[in-house]
mmCIF file of all heavy atoms in Angstrom:
data_model
loop_
_atom_site.group_PDB
_atom_site.id
_atom_site.type_symbol
_atom_site.label_atom_id
_atom_site.label_comp_id
_atom_site.label_asym_id
_atom_site.label_seq_id
_atom_site.Cartn_x
_atom_site.Cartn_y
_atom_site.Cartn_z
ATOM 1 N N LEU A 295 81.693 88.215 81.311
ATOM 2 C CA LEU A 295 80.320 88.621 81.042
ATOM 3 C C LEU A 295 80.209 89.491 79.803
ATOM 4 O O LEU A 295 79.129 89.656 79.250
ATOM 5 C CB LEU A 295 79.759 89.386 82.246
ATOM 6 C CG LEU A 295 79.729 88.605 83.555
ATOM 7 C CD1 LEU A 295 79.181 89.482 84.659
ATOM 8 C CD2 LEU A 295 78.875 87.356 83.395
ATOM 9 N N SER A 296 81.318 90.075 79.388
ATOM 10 C CA SER A 296 81.298 90.915 78.190
ATOM 11 C C SER A 296 82.697 90.964 77.636
ATOM 12 O O SER A 296 83.628 90.415 78.200
ATOM 13 C CB SER A 296 80.815 92.323 78.527
ATOM 14 O OG SER A 296 81.844 93.044 79.172
ATOM 15 N N ASP A 297 82.864 91.655 76.516
ATOM 16 C CA ASP A 297 84.196 91.774 75.929
ATOM 17 C C ASP A 297 84.878 93.064 76.360
ATOM 18 O O ASP A 297 85.887 93.459 75.796
ATOM 19 C CB ASP A 297 84.127 91.715 74.393
ATOM 20 C CG ASP A 297 83.247 92.820 73.812
ATOM 21 O OD1 ASP A 297 82.680 93.603 74.601
ATOM 22 O OD2 ASP A 297 83.142 92.887 72.579
ATOM 23 N N LYS A 298 84.323 93.742 77.370
ATOM 24 C CA LYS A 298 84.915 94.981 77.837
ATOM 25 C C LYS A 298 85.892 94.689 78.961
ATOM 26 O O LYS A 298 85.617 93.917 79.862
ATOM 27 C CB LYS A 298 83.840 95.949 78.343
ATOM 28 C CG LYS A 298 82.874 96.407 77.257
ATOM 29 C CD LYS A 298 81.856 97.361 77.831
ATOM 30 C CE LYS A 298 80.893 97.831 76.745
ATOM 31 N NZ LYS A 298 79.869 98.759 77.286
ATOM 32 N N GLY A 299 87.052 95.376 78.907
ATOM 33 C CA GLY A 299 88.018 95.245 79.988
ATOM 34 C C GLY A 299 88.673 93.879 80.004
ATOM 35 O O GLY A 299 88.547 93.077 79.095
ATOM 36 N N THR A 300 89.380 93.629 81.086
ATOM 37 C CA THR A 300 90.090 92.367 81.256
ATOM 38 C C THR A 300 89.641 91.696 82.537
ATOM 39 O O THR A 300 89.129 92.331 83.449
ATOM 40 C CB THR A 300 91.610 92.601 81.323
ATOM 41 O OG1 THR A 300 91.872 93.501 82.408
ATOM 42 C CG2 THR A 300 92.122 93.215 80.036
ATOM 43 N N THR A 301 89.848 90.406 82.608
ATOM 44 C CA THR A 301 89.494 89.651 83.809
ATOM 45 C C THR A 301 90.757 89.112 84.463
ATOM 46 O O THR A 301 91.701 88.747 83.790
ATOM 47 C CB THR A 301 88.601 88.463 83.451
ATOM 48 O OG1 THR A 301 87.947 88.719 82.228
ATOM 49 C CG2 THR A 301 87.553 88.226 84.509
ATOM 50 N N SER A 302 90.779 89.053 85.783
ATOM 51 C CA SER A 302 91.958 88.568 86.496
ATOM 52 C C SER A 302 92.121 87.068 86.309
ATOM 53 O O SER A 302 91.144 86.337 86.221
ATOM 54 C CB SER A 302 91.825 88.857 88.000
ATOM 55 O OG SER A 302 91.734 90.219 88.242
ATOM 56 N N ALA A 303 93.392 86.637 86.291
ATOM 57 C CA ALA A 303 93.663 85.202 86.261
ATOM 58 C C ALA A 303 93.441 84.628 87.652
ATOM 59 O O ALA A 303 93.554 85.309 88.665
ATOM 60 C CB ALA A 303 95.095 84.966 85.814
ATOM 61 N N ASN A 304 93.129 83.354 87.700
ATOM 62 C CA ASN A 304 92.953 82.675 88.985
ATOM 63 C C ASN A 304 94.336 82.333 89.531
ATOM 64 O O ASN A 304 95.022 81.454 89.026
ATOM 65 C CB ASN A 304 92.134 81.396 88.763
ATOM 66 C CG ASN A 304 91.793 80.721 90.075
ATOM 67 O OD1 ASN A 304 92.087 81.245 91.142
ATOM 68 N ND2 ASN A 304 91.181 79.557 89.997
ATOM 69 N N LYS A 305 94.758 83.060 90.561
ATOM 70 C CA LYS A 305 96.105 82.901 91.078
ATOM 71 C C LYS A 305 96.044 82.417 92.524
ATOM 72 O O LYS A 305 95.302 82.955 93.340
ATOM 73 C CB LYS A 305 96.864 84.226 91.009
ATOM 74 C CG LYS A 305 97.070 84.712 89.578
ATOM 75 C CD LYS A 305 97.786 86.041 89.558
ATOM 76 C CE LYS A 305 97.975 86.529 88.132
ATOM 77 N NZ LYS A 305 98.622 87.851 88.092
ATOM 78 N N ARG A 306 96.832 81.418 92.823
ATOM 79 C CA ARG A 306 96.889 80.877 94.167
ATOM 80 C C ARG A 306 97.654 81.845 95.069
ATOM 81 O O ARG A 306 98.730 82.305 94.734
ATOM 82 C CB ARG A 306 97.618 79.525 94.114
ATOM 83 C CG ARG A 306 97.541 78.706 95.368
ATOM 84 C CD ARG A 306 97.951 77.286 95.052
ATOM 85 N NE ARG A 306 99.212 77.240 94.349
ATOM 86 C CZ ARG A 306 100.379 77.038 94.949
ATOM 87 N NH1 ARG A 306 100.440 76.881 96.250
ATOM 88 N NH2 ARG A 306 101.486 76.996 94.249
ATOM 89 N N VAL A 307 97.065 82.201 96.200
ATOM 90 C CA VAL A 307 97.659 83.166 97.111
ATOM 91 C C VAL A 307 97.946 82.489 98.436
ATOM 92 O O VAL A 307 97.093 81.796 98.983
ATOM 93 C CB VAL A 307 96.719 84.377 97.330
ATOM 94 C CG1 VAL A 307 97.350 85.364 98.302
ATOM 95 C CG2 VAL A 307 96.401 85.045 95.996
ATOM 96 N N ASP A 308 99.152 82.694 98.964
ATOM 97 C CA ASP A 308 99.500 82.151 100.274
ATOM 98 C C ASP A 308 99.879 83.305 101.197
ATOM 99 O O ASP A 308 100.860 84.002 100.959
ATOM 100 C CB ASP A 308 100.667 81.171 100.179
ATOM 101 C CG ASP A 308 100.815 80.379 101.476
ATOM 102 O OD1 ASP A 308 100.062 79.416 101.650
ATOM 103 O OD2 ASP A 308 101.664 80.752 102.300
ATOM 104 N N PRO A 309 99.105 83.554 102.252
ATOM 105 C CA PRO A 309 99.317 84.733 103.094
ATOM 106 C C PRO A 309 100.617 84.692 103.890
ATOM 107 O O PRO A 309 101.174 83.639 104.197
ATOM 108 C CB PRO A 309 98.107 84.715 104.034
ATOM 109 C CG PRO A 309 97.074 83.894 103.328
ATOM 110 C CD PRO A 309 97.861 82.845 102.600
ATOM 111 N N LEU A 310 101.059 85.889 104.269
ATOM 112 C CA LEU A 310 102.295 86.032 105.024
ATOM 113 C C LEU A 310 102.185 85.449 106.435
ATOM 114 O O LEU A 310 103.178 85.010 106.999
ATOM 115 C CB LEU A 310 102.664 87.515 105.121
ATOM 116 C CG LEU A 310 103.123 88.169 103.820
ATOM 117 C CD1 LEU A 310 103.241 89.672 104.002
ATOM 118 C CD2 LEU A 310 104.448 87.583 103.368
ATOM 119 N N ARG A 311 100.984 85.454 106.990
ATOM 120 C CA ARG A 311 100.831 84.927 108.349
ATOM 121 C C ARG A 311 101.243 83.457 108.409
ATOM 122 O O ARG A 311 101.966 83.045 109.325
ATOM 123 C CB ARG A 311 99.385 85.094 108.814
ATOM 124 C CG ARG A 311 99.151 84.602 110.231
ATOM 125 C CD ARG A 311 97.721 84.865 110.677
ATOM 126 N NE ARG A 311 97.508 84.474 112.058
ATOM 127 C CZ ARG A 311 96.369 84.631 112.707
ATOM 128 N NH1 ARG A 311 95.338 85.184 112.099
ATOM 129 N NH2 ARG A 311 96.258 84.239 113.958
ATOM 130 N N SER A 312 100.790 82.674 107.433
ATOM 131 C CA SER A 312 101.106 81.241 107.452
ATOM 132 C C SER A 312 102.576 80.984 107.150
ATOM 133 O O SER A 312 103.142 79.995 107.600
ATOM 134 C CB SER A 312 100.232 80.504 106.434
ATOM 135 O OG SER A 312 100.543 80.897 105.114
ATOM 136 N N GLN A 313 103.209 81.892 106.399
ATOM 137 C CA GLN A 313 104.603 81.668 106.010
ATOM 138 C C GLN A 313 105.600 82.171 107.038
ATOM 139 O O GLN A 313 106.752 81.732 107.048
ATOM 140 C CB GLN A 313 104.886 82.322 104.653
ATOM 141 C CG GLN A 313 104.120 81.681 103.499
ATOM 142 C CD GLN A 313 104.826 81.871 102.188
ATOM 143 O OE1 GLN A 313 106.016 81.594 102.060
ATOM 144 N NE2 GLN A 313 104.105 82.336 101.173
ATOM 145 N N THR A 314 105.198 83.135 107.883
ATOM 146 C CA THR A 314 106.138 83.698 108.852
ATOM 147 C C THR A 314 105.805 83.361 110.295
ATOM 148 O O THR A 314 106.718 83.299 111.144
ATOM 149 C CB THR A 314 106.180 85.229 108.732
ATOM 150 O OG1 THR A 314 104.910 85.774 109.125
ATOM 151 C CG2 THR A 314 106.512 85.662 107.314
ATOM 152 N N GLY A 315 104.503 83.183 110.622
ATOM 153 C CA GLY A 315 104.098 83.007 112.004
ATOM 154 C C GLY A 315 104.189 84.276 112.829
ATOM 155 O O GLY A 315 104.022 84.245 114.049
ATOM 156 N N LEU A 316 104.447 85.426 112.173
ATOM 157 C CA LEU A 316 104.601 86.701 112.864
ATOM 158 C C LEU A 316 103.305 87.496 112.839
ATOM 159 O O LEU A 316 102.493 87.364 111.921
ATOM 160 C CB LEU A 316 105.702 87.534 112.207
ATOM 161 C CG LEU A 316 107.129 86.977 112.250
ATOM 162 C CD1 LEU A 316 108.049 87.856 111.425
ATOM 163 C CD2 LEU A 316 107.623 86.888 113.693
ATOM 164 N N ASP A 317 103.132 88.356 113.846
ATOM 165 C CA ASP A 317 102.032 89.305 113.811
ATOM 166 C C ASP A 317 102.215 90.263 112.646
ATOM 167 O O ASP A 317 103.349 90.544 112.216
ATOM 168 C CB ASP A 317 101.976 90.110 115.115
ATOM 169 C CG ASP A 317 101.539 89.268 116.307
ATOM 170 O OD1 ASP A 317 100.918 88.201 116.079
ATOM 171 O OD2 ASP A 317 101.825 89.672 117.452
ATOM 172 N N ARG A 318 101.100 90.800 112.166
ATOM 173 C CA ARG A 318 101.146 91.735 111.042
ATOM 174 C C ARG A 318 102.068 92.918 111.339
ATOM 175 O O ARG A 318 102.876 93.331 110.485
ATOM 176 C CB ARG A 318 99.736 92.220 110.726
ATOM 177 C CG ARG A 318 99.634 93.254 109.614
ATOM 178 C CD ARG A 318 98.171 93.598 109.349
ATOM 179 N NE ARG A 318 98.025 94.658 108.370
ATOM 180 C CZ ARG A 318 98.065 95.947 108.651
ATOM 181 N NH1 ARG A 318 98.233 96.331 109.932
ATOM 182 N NH2 ARG A 318 97.917 96.861 107.701
ATOM 183 N N ALA A 319 101.951 93.483 112.543
ATOM 184 C CA ALA A 319 102.783 94.635 112.909
ATOM 185 C C ALA A 319 104.267 94.293 112.852
ATOM 186 O O ALA A 319 105.095 95.129 112.454
ATOM 187 C CB ALA A 319 102.401 95.137 114.300
ATOM 188 N N ASP A 320 104.611 93.067 113.242
ATOM 189 C CA ASP A 320 106.011 92.653 113.207
ATOM 190 C C ASP A 320 106.508 92.520 111.770
ATOM 191 O O ASP A 320 107.661 92.890 111.463
ATOM 192 C CB ASP A 320 106.200 91.329 113.939
ATOM 193 C CG ASP A 320 105.973 91.453 115.438
ATOM 194 O OD1 ASP A 320 106.180 92.562 115.975
ATOM 195 O OD2 ASP A 320 105.567 90.456 116.056
ATOM 196 N N VAL A 321 105.661 92.002 110.877
ATOM 197 C CA VAL A 321 106.051 91.890 109.470
ATOM 198 C C VAL A 321 106.310 93.278 108.889
ATOM 199 O O VAL A 321 107.320 93.515 108.207
ATOM 200 C CB VAL A 321 104.965 91.158 108.651
ATOM 201 C CG1 VAL A 321 105.306 91.182 107.166
ATOM 202 C CG2 VAL A 321 104.804 89.724 109.139
#
Side-chain angles (χ1 to χ4, degrees):
L295 300 179
S296 76
D297 59 359
K298 296 180 180 179
T300 58
T301 337
S302 299
N304 186 5
K305 296 178 181 178
R306 191 164 51 96
V307 179
D308 193 80
L310 290 171
R311 181 177 184 178
S312 66
Q313 294 206 50
T314 66
L316 296 174
D317 290 340
R318 177 177 175 275
D320 292 333
V321 174

